[in-house]
């Protein structure tokens, strides 16, 4: 059995005001080609099909069209779940009809997880869920964390699975130790959204969504496919892919990356305004973050750059190298207003306050304190 | 062949700040009972399944659940189209899968209308469409009005239909001469949104949605089912129903109204505050418009009434019978400020300005004019 694992399509996503929909259609066509070439037996979509709970109508059309292509026209079974960006209810609409053609779309977690028998395997769909959802569904008040919830779910699954078969879990979660990028939405403050890898002990292959780096974790049977496109400049150095997973009977025999080539790459380039406008970099219509290395004032650098690089998404000006003083809370509390402001000024401008500036600032603070006291 | 015709569910509708969803679930259960009792061969939903393009998630769930009930559990074929309140794209999602269980959901008009063979009939689904949609789809620049568009659509249908079969059209449109209520959204300014009855010449039964009165037009083969619930007080005197339609071979043999009883009726009651709070009307938890007949000031009448009638949606104070002087624009222009205000005062209060009031008002106008001149 051979399947293709992808996730985090984020259809309808807008990056720096620019719709990614045309890029997404382009990459979906590439995924179709790979699925056909590889003659996969199934496709896995591990959540975040849309970028938001109420996606724009044209994103709805793109998802419908690609699912028709894969499932109806090419006859490929699909296992799909909702991610934290999707609306579980909206994605669940119609799922009762899809099953007849082996499109398994699970939007909402319920109290019962049932395996879907497929070739030599059982497939378990575990949509994104906050702990409260599982606490309520399982009527178990001891479930407080994401870890508790996933442990409870997989414990139930283990109590039901057929050990003579390969066990595939499709999930959408943040596994401890995983490397996030800037384009996932945080699930919780701090690290309480993490689940440990041992939640997935015993599964032949765990097909995850949520983290966008294709190698967000290293584990022999737990994989993020990564998003098929870069959605932030923190992913500029990623090479996006889909995973082709092969099983023989109940054994996992290979996990291959099939690389994707976007219509427009997302890249970071650096140089002075003169350098970048005199010697164009390759593929100047890619999506760029431009780090301008010029010092001092520039007149309309964005306007000048856009003539050559029409798809600049972000412009950064050179920063002086800063003293790497990460003050502790206690150290910060010891400093007075003037010192703190001085530090902020230096962080933003790259230069220290002059004596005149310091004096003026001291006057302002003095004045403010007086008014406060009155 | 026997089918049930309904339309204008408007799931998720909010009337005067109150969600109708529980009422809608209640009435859908009643429609299910009727469908079962009548052992219908099909259900027709002639548009406006939702109240808005992006319905709330709980309305999405209600529609999914009732379609599962009707189509999957009871095995009743369904013919449904989008209305002007629905998003054609969103409603079309998944429709390719629904067809395998005879749920025919058409969200968008295309260049081709195809009949769906069903028992002794062909069913033609014609979703709501603005003229521009058909003008573009048919690549025919002469299509300018709603009438042109519907004529073009039905002309194409007539060129393809099998005259040995009954012909059923499911549409969502405003037929000339139809009686609107306050709860439909206008399709256009003036009367340009109307289509004539002869658009539907030759059809055995035309199942329409849009107008909410169950007898919005009188015609031997063109019917609005009306909405299953009252959505405005202009419908207070309606008796809502669904239509049970019987055909024998290609002949229409009966059109029956099966009446619906809402969980809470929508009614208009009149009386003084004392009358209404001392002698409660029947079913005091219905949705009420209360016309208060008291003269003069009342302290918190809504608060007092709500103790007895928890679901008041609208309160009106008695109006004196007014002189029916509908002044023409020219006549209004001749009047001075004092006369105009006097007329407004009379309209609101039911009494004329006293001489003292007139004098005070004249002073105010004089003062305002002086300040303007300065």
């Amino acid at each position: 059995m051979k399947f293709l694992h992808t996730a985090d399509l984020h259809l309808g996503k807008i990056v720096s005001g620019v719709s990614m929909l045309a890029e997404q259609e382009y990459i979906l066509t590439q995924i179709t080609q790979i699925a056909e070439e590889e003659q996969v037996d199934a496709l896995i979509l591990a959540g975040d099909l849309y970028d938001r709970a109420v996606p724009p109508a044209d994103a709805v059309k793109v998802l419908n069209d690609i699912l028709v292509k894969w499932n109806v026209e090419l006859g490929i079974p699909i296992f799909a779940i909702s991610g934290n960006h999707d609306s579980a209810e909206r994605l669940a609409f119609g799922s009762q009809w899809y099953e007849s053609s082996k499109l398994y779309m699970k939007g909402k977690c319920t109290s019962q997880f049932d395996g879907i028998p497929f070739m030599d395997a059982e497939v378990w769909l575990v949509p994104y869920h906050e702990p409260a959802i599982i606490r309520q569904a399982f009527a178990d008040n001891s479930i407080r964390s994401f870890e508790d919830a996933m442990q409870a779910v997989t414990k139930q699954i283990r109590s039901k699975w057929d050990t003579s078969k390969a066990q595939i879990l499709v999930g959408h979660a943040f596994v401890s130790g995983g490397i996030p990028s800037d384009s996932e939405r945080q699930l919780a403050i701090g690290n309480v959204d993490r689940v440990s890898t041992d939640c997935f002990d015993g599964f032949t292959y765990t097909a995850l969504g949520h983290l966008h780096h294709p190698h967000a974790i290293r584990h022999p049977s737990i994989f993020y496919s990564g998003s098929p496109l870069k959605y932030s400049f923190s992913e500029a150095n990623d090479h996006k892919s889909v995973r082709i997973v092969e099983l023989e009977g109940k054994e996992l025999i290979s996990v291959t990356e099939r690389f994707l080539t976007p219509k427009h790459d997302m890249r970071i380039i650096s140089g002075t305004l003169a350098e970048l406008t005199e010697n164009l970099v390759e593929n100047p219509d890619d999506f760029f973050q431009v780090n301008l290395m010029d010092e001092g004032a520039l007149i309309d650098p964005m306007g000048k750059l856009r003539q050559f690089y029409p798809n600049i998404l972000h412009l950064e000006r050179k920063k002086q190298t800063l003293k790497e003083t990460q003050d502790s809370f206690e150290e910060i509390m010891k400093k007075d207003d003037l010192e703190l402001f001085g530090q902020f000024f230096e962080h933003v401008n790259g230069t220290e306050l002059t004596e005149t500036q310091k004096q003026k600032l001291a006057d302002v603070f003095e004045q403010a304190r007086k008014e406060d006291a009155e």
Side-chain angles (χ1 to χ4, degrees), chain A:
Chain A
M1 178 173 108
K2 196 178 189 183
F3 60 85
L4 185 153
H5 166 200
T6 187
D8 301 290
L9 307 180
H10 288 271
L11 297 178
K13 188 168 183 75
I14 289 165
V15 180
S16 301
V18 176
S19 167
M20 292 288 124
L21 205 58
E23 307 295 316
Q24 292 168 330
E25 283 193 271
Y26 182 90
I27 217 74
L28 288 172
T29 304
Q30 226 169 92
I31 295 175
T32 307
Q33 281 165 6
I34 294 171
E36 285 190 279
E37 279 168 29
E38 297 280 353
Q39 299 193 295
V40 296
D41 299 303
L43 270 157
I44 287 177
L45 305 175
D48 285 354
L49 308 189
Y50 292 124
D51 190 57
R52 52 182 194 268
V54 181
D58 49 5
V60 172
K61 187 177 182 311
V62 167
L63 183 61
N64 185 67
D65 290 353
I66 196 67
L67 292 177
V68 168
K69 177 79 190 171
W70 291 340
N71 185 249
V72 179
E73 291 179 24
L74 301 176
I76 306 173
I78 298 175
F79 298 94
I81 58 169
S82 64
N84 56 307
H85 282 250
D86 300 306
S87 156
E89 282 84 3
R90 290 178 206 280
L91 214 55
F93 188 94
S95 50
Q96 284 89 339
W97 289 271
Y98 306 152
E99 290 191 9
S100 61
S101 69
K102 297 193 178 170
L103 164 54
Y104 302 95
M105 172 88 82
K106 187 161 177 176
K108 294 178 77 172
C109 284
T110 54
S111 58
Q112 280 283 102
F113 285 80
D114 295 297
I116 302 160
F118 185 73
M119 302 179 78
D120 295 324
E122 285 180 313
V123 182
W124 305 85
L125 301 182
V126 183
Y128 169 74
H129 51 270
E130 310 229 336
I133 297 288
I134 300 297
R135 179 162 66 243
Q136 202 180 4
F138 282 45
D140 178 350
N141 240 316
S142 74
I143 295 170
R144 311 306 299 183
S145 65
F146 282 77
E147 169 78 11
D148 296 341
M150 191 61 89
Q151 291 286 9
V153 168
T154 53
K155 188 179 164 195
Q156 191 197 76
I157 291 174
R158 278 186 208 97
S159 75
K160 300 168 88 174
W161 69 15
D162 175 352
T163 50
S164 72
K165 294 191 162 183
Q167 297 298 334
I168 296 164
L169 185 140
V170 182
H172 192 91
F174 193 155
V175 171
S176 302
I179 304 158
S181 70
D182 289 344
S183 64
E184 299 110 17
R185 189 190 296 155
Q186 268 207 312
L187 303 181
I189 293 163
N191 289 339
V192 297
D193 52 352
R194 310 295 201 271
V195 304
S196 60
T197 53
D198 59 17
C199 289
F200 307 111
D201 279 356
F203 287 93
T204 319
Y205 186 88
T206 298
L208 291 178
H210 184 56
L211 299 183
H212 292 182
H213 284 308
H215 299 283
I217 61 164
R218 296 194 176 272
H219 188 279
S221 66
I222 303 172
F223 290 86
Y224 287 97
S225 65
S227 58
L229 286 169
K230 301 176 188 177
Y231 290 130
S232 68
F233 287 103
S234 71
E235 296 158 76
N237 292 324
D238 287 0
H239 196 173
K240 297 297 188 179
S241 60
V242 294
R243 286 252 156 60
I244 303 295
V245 182
E246 264 192 286
L247 287 90
E248 220 168 80
K250 57 175 291 192
E251 298 301 318
L252 181 64
I253 57 164
S254 74
V255 180
T256 312
E257 265 184 283
R258 284 287 310 255
F259 293 105
L260 301 168
T261 308
K263 196 169 165 190
H264 299 101
D265 201 358
M266 195 171 279
R267 298 158 62 197
I268 301 173
I269 51 173
S270 301
T272 62
L273 188 55
E275 284 163 5
L276 291 169
T277 52
E278 279 157 29
N279 303 297
L280 290 205
V281 303
E282 264 183 77
N283 302 325
D285 60 348
D286 277 352
F287 295 116
F288 287 112
Q289 172 181 323
V290 178
N291 294 338
L292 269 188
M293 305 310 282
D294 302 81
E295 298 199 21
L298 288 173
I299 295 162
D300 188 22
M302 188 60 119
K304 283 176 183 142
L305 284 163
R306 273 219 204 278
Q307 294 174 33
F308 302 95
Y309 307 99
N311 296 321
I312 297 178
L313 298 184
H314 186 62
L315 189 66
E316 291 233 341
R317 293 299 304 274
K318 182 191 178 186
K319 296 243 169 62
Q320 317 297 118
T321 44
L322 296 170
K323 275 184 295 169
E324 278 302 323
T325 47
Q326 270 298 50
D327 288 334
S328 72
F329 183 71
E330 286 73 22
E331 281 166 331
I332 288 169
M333 288 307 285
K334 278 186 228 153
K335 297 191 178 186
D336 68 13
D337 295 341
L338 201 55
E339 276 181 284
L340 282 173
F341 186 86
Q343 210 171 348
F344 171 69
F345 184 87
E346 200 180 329
H347 175 77
V348 173
N349 285 14
T351 57
E352 282 181 38
L353 285 165
T354 63
E355 280 311 309
T356 325
Q357 285 170 329
K358 274 189 200 164
Q359 193 48 55
K360 288 224 160 128
L361 201 61
D363 291 349
V364 169
F365 282 131
E366 185 57 31
Q367 181 68 25
R369 257 183 229 107
K370 256 193 217 158
E371 280 169 16
D372 246 13
E374 274 162 17

